Amino acid sequence: MNQGLAKRIVPCLDVKDGETVKGTNFVNLRKAGDPVELGKAYSDAGADELVFLDITASFEGRKTFTDMVTRVAAEINIPFTVGGGINELSDVERLLHAGADKVSVNSAAIRKPSLIDEIAGRFGSQVCVCAIDARLDPDGWHCYVKGGRERVELGLFDWAHQAQERGAGEILFTSMNHDGMKNGYANEPLARLADELSIPIIASGGAGTKEHFRDAFTVGKADAALAASVFHFGEIPIPELKSYLRQEGINVRI
């Protein structure tokens, strides 16, 4: 197996009104809901990157989230991506200015694909992560928007190709069929994305065991694996996960 670049482990935190949702049971945190504290704990535990998603759409929520990004940047020394409600270049500018390393665009990019060209053109491809929520329907893998509530006519693979052509630096693929099920990642479509595209693919949706991470990297050929609840609830400590992956012959930073 080609060792290549180290595979990345990426905890994801959903943030609402400045607090992490999807409870956490990190006992040593002063405030389990504080995304900065949690991000720091993950960084200290060996996470390679972090993703913070703003799930409060209101203007007030935006301001709270931007303040949080500033605090995260001051406390954490691993790269972090922010997403949620990024609709135009000024949103990207504001979050990068606050200290984020990358931004993740989802529904807004499907509504207006040129947003990807704009972000990549202004800030570079490495800043633009295209998040795709897709579901395996009877007629194949289709993209969904509005938090997975509304199907669009775009197929997963067509859209991923287009995102790469427009300048996205990474694809964050969440399988809606697998998300929250803890039965493993969607390795078949992941492997196809990895084979067809030249940019990194981040697997999301379905982590329940250490073996699921291994399979996402070996069978699914993913470059990174993202998870939330298994980390938040302490089910899989990151140092333990990484030493397991290392034993399985997967190149991870320890």
Side-chain angles (χ1 to χ4, degrees), residues 8-252:
R8 292 170 284 148
I9 300 297
V10 186
C12 178
L13 295 82
D14 289 344
V15 178
K16 183 178 182 191
D17 301 322
E19 294 279 303
T20 313
V21 294
K22 273 192 184 161
T24 56
N25 71 354
F26 271 90
V27 281
N28 56 346
L29 293 187
R30 286 192 300 276
K31 215 171 141 196
D34 180 15
V36 183
E37 285 269 313
L38 194 53
K40 205 167 161 15
Y42 284 139
S43 175
D44 294 345
D48 298 294
E49 294 190 18
L50 296 169
V51 172
F52 294 90
L53 294 178
D54 178 6
I55 62 173
T56 316
S58 68
F59 173 72
E60 207 24 66
R62 292 272 165 273
K63 190 177 163 328
T64 312
F65 189 74
T66 308
D67 292 344
M68 181 217 76
V69 170
T70 308
R71 287 169 50 225
V72 168
E75 291 283 341
I76 289 167
N77 53 13
I78 56 174
F80 69 100
T81 301
V82 294
I86 294 172
N87 297 305
E88 51 193 39
L89 274 185
S90 61
D91 296 323
V92 180
E93 200 132 27
R94 174 170 50 83
L95 293 164
L96 293 177
H97 185 69
D101 297 279
K102 308 180 204 177
V103 295
S104 160
V105 289
N106 190 334
S107 304
I110 285 180
R111 277 197 305 275
K112 184 189 153 195
S114 60
L115 181 61
I116 296 175
D117 307 70
E118 290 174 16
I119 296 170
R122 171 81 69 86
F123 304 107
S125 288
Q126 77 288 348
V127 159
C128 185
V129 178
C130 182
I132 305 178
D133 296 335
R135 194 169 87 185
L136 181 55
D137 290 331
D139 57 347
W141 283 92
H142 275 269
C143 299
Y144 279 72
V145 294
K146 297 190 177 158
R149 288 188 294 278
E150 191 180 297
R151 172 171 151 154
V152 291
E153 274 321 295
L154 277 171
L156 163 64
F157 301 102
D158 291 342
W159 175 231
H161 275 276
Q162 191 187 144
Q164 172 175 283
E165 278 153 33
R166 288 180 176 277
E170 292 181 274
I171 299 289
L172 167 54
F173 161 53
T174 301
S175 162
M176 292 164 55
N177 307 69
H178 296 71
D179 194 40
M181 304 304 289
K182 298 197 172 179
N183 296 330
Y185 292 94
N187 293 319
E188 260 178 71
L190 274 170
R192 184 174 158 191
L193 287 169
D195 287 339
E196 291 185 8
L197 302 183
S198 57
I199 57 177
I201 310 296
I202 306 165
S204 165
T209 67
K210 292 187 283 239
E211 290 73 17
H212 293 156
F213 287 89
R214 175 198 64 198
D215 294 347
F217 295 136
T218 54
V219 184
K221 306 180 186 176
D223 297 275
L226 177 142
S229 57
V230 291
F231 295 142
H232 297 343
F233 294 113
E235 291 161 33
I236 303 179
I238 292 173
E240 200 178 289
L241 171 61
K242 284 193 157 185
S243 69
Y244 163 80
L245 291 170
R246 182 58 73 83
Q247 283 160 8
E248 293 289 315
I250 293 161
N251 179 13
V252 287

